[in-house]
Amino acid sequence: MDTAPNIAVPTMAAATAHAAAAPRIKFSPHGFCIDHPDPELGAQLMANALGVADRDAMDGILRQLVKASVSGGKPCEVNLAFMISMVRSIGPRDSVEAMLVAQMVSVHVMAMRCAHHLAHAKDLAQHDSAARALGRLARTFPAQIDALNRHRSHGEPAITVQNVKVEDGGNAIVGNVTQHASVIVSDNNPASAARNAPKAAGARRRRNSADAGRDAQA
């Protein structure tokens, strides 16, 4: 049972919904509903927390999180509140991020369950099974973080520029500078820098000689 109304129509209360905490979910024998005194505002708060823009998307992500929260054979309000809070803290910005972040928090919950099973394993078979599952989930989580970062940067790997040399008359930015892949980063290898130093010095001498020749002709 989901009594949340249509959230497509903006309201004055919804204008400040993004800054507020997400409401909790209340379970009943007939299903679940958003536990908020104002159903319309509660639905908007939940949609903002999950990073979705319409009712169908909110219902879908929420139902999937409810199923992933199951503990002891039934949905767990505590697990679900934690998962929704984590989704909200990451802050999905579009539908792709909403789905990916929901997967991330679900993988984390499953990994913690496997860690619990591993700690309470009664024999070698249970230990090995829990250890393998925990290992796969632990590898999946950082891969999901990387996928989220790539999506947010539009697929362009970030490059951090360090050890920037500034000649006389130049300007430098103090701090860490990050650019995209189109930036050419100088070679920081000392051996390479030593090989290139004579070439750079020769080029400067040739430019200086050419400038002096032009001045003499003038």
Side-chain angles (χ1 to χ4, degrees):
M1 177 185 63
D2 189 345
T3 61
N6 191 339
I7 64 173
V9 180
T11 64
M12 291 297 294
T16 58
H18 185 69
R24 297 180 71 90
I25 297 298
K26 181 172 62 177
F27 292 98
S28 71
H30 305 289
F32 65 90
C33 65
I34 297 174
D35 188 13
H36 196 278
D38 183 343
E40 187 172 355
L41 178 57
Q44 185 64 57
L45 289 169
M46 184 60 69
N48 289 339
L50 299 179
V52 295
D54 58 68
R55 170 65 178 273
D56 290 338
M58 183 196 71
D59 285 343
I61 295 292
L62 190 54
R63 290 181 184 280
Q64 291 168 351
L65 291 176
V66 168
K67 293 178 180 178
S69 74
V70 170
S71 179
K74 62 181 181 179
C76 175
E77 291 188 17
V78 175
N79 281 347
L80 183 60
F82 165 76
M83 297 168 77
I84 293 174
S85 177
M86 290 299 100
V87 171
R88 177 179 174 274
S89 66
I90 297 173
R93 302 173 185 176
D94 55 37
S95 58
V96 172
E97 291 191 10
M99 292 184 289
L100 179 56
V101 173
Q103 293 178 27
M104 291 170 64
V105 298
S106 299
V107 165
H108 171 75
V109 169
M110 298 301 174
M112 294 300 98
R113 289 179 186 172
C114 289
H116 173 78
H117 294 327
L118 180 61
H120 294 81
K122 297 180 180 180
D123 53 45
L124 183 60
Q126 291 182 359
H127 180 280
D128 290 346
S129 177
R132 285 194 300 269
L134 178 59
R136 288 194 294 268
L137 292 167
R139 290 189 296 271
T140 299
F141 190 76
Q144 291 172 322
I145 296 176
D146 185 55
L148 179 62
N149 289 333
R150 287 200 309 271
H151 177 75
R152 287 185 169 176
S153 63
H154 304 289
E156 297 182 8
I159 298 176
T160 301
V161 182
Q162 297 176 340
N163 300 328
V164 178
K165 182 179 180 181
V166 181
E167 300 290 349
D168 293 340
N171 295 321
I173 300 174
V174 178
N176 294 327
V177 180
T178 301
Q179 293 289 348
H180 292 294
S182 58
V183 176
I184 300 175
V185 182
S186 62
D187 191 347
N188 293 328
N189 189 310
S192 176
R195 291 195 300 270
N196 293 333
K199 297 179 182 179
R204 285 195 296 270
R205 286 195 296 271
R206 288 194 294 273
R207 287 197 299 271
N208 293 336
S209 298
D211 293 340
R214 286 195 295 271
D215 293 341
Q217 292 176 359

